[in-house]
Amino acid sequence: DTAVSQTPKYLVTQMGNDKSIKCEQNLGHDTMYWYKQDSKKFLKIMFSYNNKELIINETVPNRFSPKSPDKAHLNLHINSLELGDSAVYFCASSLLSGGLTNFGPGTRLTVL
Amino acid sequence: ELKVEQNPLFLSMQEGKNYTIYCNYSTTSDRLYWYRQDPGKSLESLFVLLSNGAVKQEGRLMASLDTKARLSTLHITAAVHDLSATYFCAVDTGNQFYFGTGTSLTVIP
């Protein structure tokens, strides 16, 4: 069984569209995260979320919003997509905030 | 702004040799992470270091943390080809979280 899963694996879309990436973890972890890795392989944390607190990296545009329907899911919604949003987005989870994290396989987003 | 610098950026080493990757950061930290990423793959958590002097080891990899020097090291012992990957450190100050630029390691038979 996949511990952290993401869908879709690839997402190609036009500028200006709105899209979502889904993430689910079956580990019973309390904290989930979204990370972005750009074409130069630079990594950035975007959000961390547990059932009590959402922490947002202040550099993330407000076009990006995490939505958590329950403890096992943290979806990423992106409005008005821009070319610079093209990247690989990784979802992850950890048992406790700040612990070892399990990463999803990544979603490669291409904005045309 | 927190700065996290890794060196070297690229490392090519022969099997059986030892080497160290360095991670320097610019402010006090709560914890320091090391990750591994194989080409085209996701990330794998290796270590979380919480306190000054912390040392953790897993197989041929050993990570240490010196919070006074604001330095973490990832030491590779007797490298094998399977260790070829990119290694990232990341620093969590409690209200900032930044990754290093990564060290691309190639182990040559």
Side-chain angles (χ1 to χ4, degrees), chain A residues 48-69:
Chain A
S48 68
Y49 182 78
N50 63 26
N51 56 6
K52 297 177 185 176
E53 189 177 18
L54 171 65
I55 299 174
I56 303 170
N57 183 329
E58 62 186 15
T59 67
V60 174
N62 58 13
R63 300 181 293 103
F64 290 79
S65 57
K67 300 261 194 286
S68 181

Side-chain angles (χ1 to χ4, degrees), chain A residues 35 37 40-45 55 57 59 90 97-106 108, chain B residues 31 33-35 37 40-48 50 88 92 94 97-101:
Chain A
Y35 299 85
Q37 186 171 40
K40 296 182 179 178
K41 307 300 181 190
F42 292 133
L43 280 158
K44 178 171 82 170
I45 191 169
I55 299 174
N57 183 329
T59 67
F90 292 103
S97 180
L100 284 174
T101 43
N102 290 75
F103 286 83
R108 182 175 293 278
Chain B
R31 56 194 73 207
Y33 301 80
W34 283 98
Y35 304 90
Q37 186 175 36
K41 302 291 186 182
S42 185
L43 289 125
E44 175 189 354
S45 287
L46 296 175
F47 304 106
V48 182
L50 299 177
F88 293 93
D92 184 354
F97 189 107
Y98 280 90
F99 285 87
T101 50

Side-chain angles (χ1 to χ4, degrees), chain A residues 88-112:
Chain A
V88 179
Y89 292 85
F90 292 103
C91 176
S93 69
S94 63
L95 181 60
L96 298 171
S97 180
L100 284 174
T101 43
N102 290 75
F103 286 83
T107 295
R108 182 175 293 278
L109 171 65
T110 303
V111 182
L112 303 175

Side-chain angles (χ1 to χ4, degrees), chain A residues 11-53:
Chain A
L11 182 55
V12 181
T13 188
Q14 300 284 335
M15 278 176 55
N17 284 351
D18 302 337
K19 290 293 179 185
S20 295
I21 305 171
K22 295 186 177 180
C23 177
E24 176 181 2
Q25 55 96 3
N26 63 6
L27 298 165
H29 285 172
D30 287 324
T31 305
M32 296 184 73
Y33 310 83
W34 279 103
Y35 299 85
K36 177 182 178 180
Q37 186 171 40
D38 67 20
S39 60
K40 296 182 179 178
K41 307 300 181 190
F42 292 133
L43 280 158
K44 178 171 82 170
I45 191 169
M46 302 177 73
F47 306 100
S48 68
Y49 182 78
N50 63 26
N51 56 6
K52 297 177 185 176
E53 189 177 18

